[in-house]
Amino acid sequence: TTVQAFAPASITRSSIRNQPISTFRTEESALNMMDPSTLMDAATTMGESANTLMDSSSLLTSFTDQGQNLAGIFFQASLLPYLLFLYFLSFRANQVPALGNFGFQFVLLFVISTIPSGIISKSVYGFSLADTDYLHGGAELLLTVANVLIVLGFKEAMTKQEQVPLGKPRAIAFSLFAAFAAICATGPKLFADGHTPFLFGVGGFPSDQVTRFPWVNHVEPINALSIPTWAIHFSSVFEYVFAMGLVWEFAKTTGNERWKGLTWGMLPLHASGICACTYHFFYNPPALQFLVTSQAGLTLLGNITLMIAAFRIAQSNGWTPQELIPFTDKDTNPYGLVADGLANKPLVLKQEAQSTTDLALTLAAA
């Protein structure tokens, strides 16, 4: 997902459902906007040329198939480093905000949610999760929730002595996850069309109104993301960048400069989101499947850099391999006593420039 890749407005799809994508064009207007499908056609031509070269060499394989396989391998391999990241981040001496820590943990539920939704998309509708808008938007909403929790958690920890109680935010987050699970269970029966827009496409314009805009010279294909799904993607990118900035500032709050390394560690994951949103902007064409592979590779890289950054933070705060021994008496262990002392160290708070309510509204408006 990316700010620059915000797609054109979605339109009503009923009038074009049975039309071939190649016929989706409107009349020329005074102000012409570049048609993404034109670039998609060019990419397809390049892909065909590449396939010709591949066929002439035994050292090369089908790029699309290889990319898809690599994406799956990268995504699976990224789980372990993320679990290790959560372990090191949660070290008691790090003084990580409880709500922010829960936000990072909630990302796992987003990952889990993509498994059944992806299976449903493929087995019921016959296409990928990226093309199943109501499931795609619902899953992405969970990632947005995780980012909001991270932002609010770190913001509150830097400006207030008392941290935000986990009760209500956790209940809301789990409720949304349960709601998405219910949609996965009932969606195939309720929505015969897998392209049903997320939240019923609220905020979109009818196709006849869209074609009146002077800058529009094409109609989106049936698998284009709806306005709510694009809004969720845009929001998750904005919130993650905001979270990166707060983590950087948290170094001053704790007096530990190694927190800035976590911001750098988050950067590949931001790039991963940009790859995903670029892929969506061009309507998820097979010719740009390499973007999915790039997204998965950057996710793996980002989880590794998160793990390394969290390890450096924990190590600077007294973590030792003895923490892995479950029966170690941390009350008498000198390293454990040092960690306990750092865990109770007062934070250097700063003046609150924006209330939590205003921040929530800012994130929602994004």
Side-chain angles (χ1 to χ4, degrees):
T1 54
T2 179
V3 175
Q4 291 82 0
F6 201 82
S10 297
I11 63 173
T12 301
R13 294 168 169 79
S14 57
S15 61
I16 61 173
R17 185 165 298 147
N18 298 320
Q19 300 295 326
I21 292 178
S22 60
T23 64
F24 293 164
R25 299 290 185 272
T26 63
E27 298 296 329
E28 293 186 359
S29 57
L31 179 60
N32 290 325
M33 183 181 70
M34 180 177 289
D35 183 356
S37 63
T38 302
L39 295 182
M40 185 174 66
D41 293 340
T44 302
T45 302
M46 294 174 63
E48 292 174 352
S49 301
N51 287 335
T52 302
L53 293 175
M54 291 177 185
D55 292 338
S56 65
S57 174
S58 60
L59 298 179
L60 297 176
T61 58
S62 173
F63 179 77
T64 300
D65 292 340
Q66 184 186 39
Q68 185 63 54
N69 292 336
L70 282 175
I73 293 173
F74 287 155
F75 278 129
Q76 294 174 41
S78 67
L79 180 59
L80 179 58
Y82 195 80
L83 292 174
L84 291 174
F85 156 70
L86 293 178
Y87 167 75
F88 289 121
L89 184 70
S90 301
F91 182 54
R92 62 190 183 281
N94 291 344
Q95 297 182 291
V96 60
L99 184 59
N101 194 26
F102 175 67
F104 280 116
Q105 295 168 356
F106 194 75
V107 172
L108 289 176
L109 290 185
F110 158 72
V111 174
I112 293 173
S113 72
T114 61
I115 298 174
S117 56
I119 294 174
I120 293 171
S121 299
K122 201 68 175 177
S123 61
V124 176
Y125 301 114
F127 36 77
S128 68
L129 177 60
D131 292 329
T132 312
D133 198 76
Y134 79 93
L135 291 176
H136 183 191
E140 191 70 22
L141 176 62
L142 298 180
L143 180 59
T144 297
V145 170
N147 292 342
V148 170
L149 294 173
I150 295 170
V151 168
L152 295 179
F154 277 88
K155 184 262 182 185
E156 291 288 302
M158 291 189 295
T159 57
K160 296 181 180 180
Q161 192 70 36
E162 297 293 331
Q163 293 194 24
V164 178
L166 277 178
K168 183 179 292 186
R170 180 182 289 173
I172 294 174
F174 282 140
S175 297
L176 290 173
F177 177 74
F180 181 72
I183 291 175
C184 288
T186 61
K189 296 180 180 179
L190 296 176
F191 307 115
D193 182 9
H195 296 298
T196 299
F198 178 57
L199 297 180
F200 302 101
V202 61
F205 297 100
S207 58
D208 57 344
Q209 182 175 349
V210 172
T211 55
R212 295 194 190 103
F213 295 145
W215 58 84
V216 175
N217 67 351
H218 77 283
V219 177
E220 292 185 317
I222 192 67
N223 68 332
L225 269 61
S226 64
I227 286 293
T229 300
W230 268 119
I232 291 295
H233 270 288
F234 179 89
S235 179
S236 65
V237 168
F238 178 83
E239 292 150 7
Y240 199 72
V241 172
F242 204 95
M244 291 170 64
L246 291 176
V247 169
W248 183 276
E249 294 181 13
F250 196 65
K252 298 178 182 179
T253 303
T254 60
N256 188 341
E257 289 294 306
R258 292 197 177 184
W259 276 99
K260 294 182 177 180
L262 184 57
T263 298
W264 289 111
M266 297 168 72
L267 191 58
L269 293 172
H270 174 60
S272 172
I274 292 177
C275 286
C277 211
T278 303
Y279 181 64
H280 299 327
F281 181 76
F282 292 104
Y283 311 122
N284 312 326
L288 297 183
Q289 185 66 35
F290 71 91
L291 287 173
V292 179
T293 306
S294 300
Q295 176 196 4
L298 287 167
T299 298
L300 173 59
L301 175 62
N303 287 354
I304 291 174
T305 53
L306 286 183
M307 176 191 68
I308 295 173
F311 169 74
R312 294 181 71 250
I313 295 171
Q315 189 181 47
S316 69
N317 288 326
W319 183 91
T320 66
Q322 291 183 349
E323 294 287 336
L324 299 173
I325 303 175
F327 302 108
T328 301
D329 188 357
K330 298 181 177 60
D331 293 332
T332 59
N333 184 290
Y335 294 103
L337 295 174
V338 170
D340 290 339
L342 290 173
N344 296 317
K345 177 183 175 182
L347 298 175
V348 181
L349 303 181
K350 66 176 185 178
Q351 185 70 29
E352 185 177 33
Q354 188 178 29
S355 68
T356 302
T357 302
D358 290 341
L359 176 59
L361 292 175
T362 300
L363 296 177

